[in-house]
């Protein structure tokens, strides 16, 4: 079992920045990849970014490339999502997840999820 807890969401104006954190506990040694997803009202959950915990190698959705940065601090068992140049369309509940098997870009590949944190970007 892996427990995940996100923090750092809030309300920000367009063009602003936020940094989300995801603290992991439990069997974190079994977690090779950590992902970030988001879900806007009325829409399906979508991939945002992922990071390989051992190397720090990142993966991004095209919609956030160049604006968001995913990173990890293995000593703290924490993954971060730095979000810059935020747009109103980034408004969503952001969740972190621990990868289990399959494509890093797909929701079904992740076994454990946090409760999510709300990010609201005003225009």
């Amino acid at each position: 079992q892996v427990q995940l807890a996100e923090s750092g969401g809030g309300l920000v104006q367009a063009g602003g920045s936020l940094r989300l954190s995801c603290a992991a506990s439990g069997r974190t040694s079994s977690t090779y990849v950590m992902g970030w997803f988001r879900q806007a009202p009325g829409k399906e959950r979508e991939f945002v970014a992922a990071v390989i915990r051992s190397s720090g190698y990142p993966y991004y959705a095209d919609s956030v490339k160049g604006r968001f940065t995913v990173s990890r601090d293995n000593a703290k068992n924490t993954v971060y999502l730095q979000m810059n140049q935020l747009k109103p369309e980034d408004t969503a509940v952001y969740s972190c997840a621990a990868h289990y098997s399959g494509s890093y870009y797909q929701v079904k590949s992740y076994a454990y999820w946090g409760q999510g944190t709300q990010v609201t970007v005003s225009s």
Side-chain angles (χ1 to χ4, degrees):
Q1 291 280 344
V2 177
Q3 293 79 43
L4 304 171
E6 304 93 338
S7 60
L11 174 64
V12 64
Q13 289 189 331
S17 299
L18 282 174
R19 189 176 83 154
L20 305 183
S21 298
C22 173
S25 59
R27 296 185 60 185
T28 58
S29 60
S30 63
T31 304
Y32 179 66
V33 174
M34 293 292 296
W36 284 98
F37 290 77
R38 66 186 181 186
Q39 187 168 22
K43 295 188 176 181
E44 292 188 354
R45 183 175 285 178
E46 64 174 3
F47 172 79
V48 175
V51 63
I52 297 178
R53 292 185 68 236
S54 58
S55 66
Y57 189 86
Y59 298 83
Y60 296 104
D62 287 343
S63 59
V64 306
K65 279 181 182 176
R67 299 189 299 123
F68 290 11
T69 302
V70 62
S71 62
R72 88 282 186 246
D73 184 333
N74 291 336
K76 296 182 179 179
N77 281 327
T78 301
V79 176
Y80 303 98
L81 185 67
Q82 177 66 44
M83 305 185 295
N84 298 328
Q85 301 172 50
L86 282 161
K87 305 175 182 180
E89 51 264 42
D90 294 318
T91 295
V93 174
Y94 285 71
S95 300
C96 65
H99 179 262
Y100 174 70
S101 178
S103 168
Y104 301 153
Y105 298 88
Q106 295 183 322
V107 171
K108 66 180 182 179
S109 300
Y110 292 77
Y112 301 102
W113 293 82
Q115 81 287 353
T117 185
Q118 177 70 46
V119 171
T120 303
V121 184
S122 63
S123 57

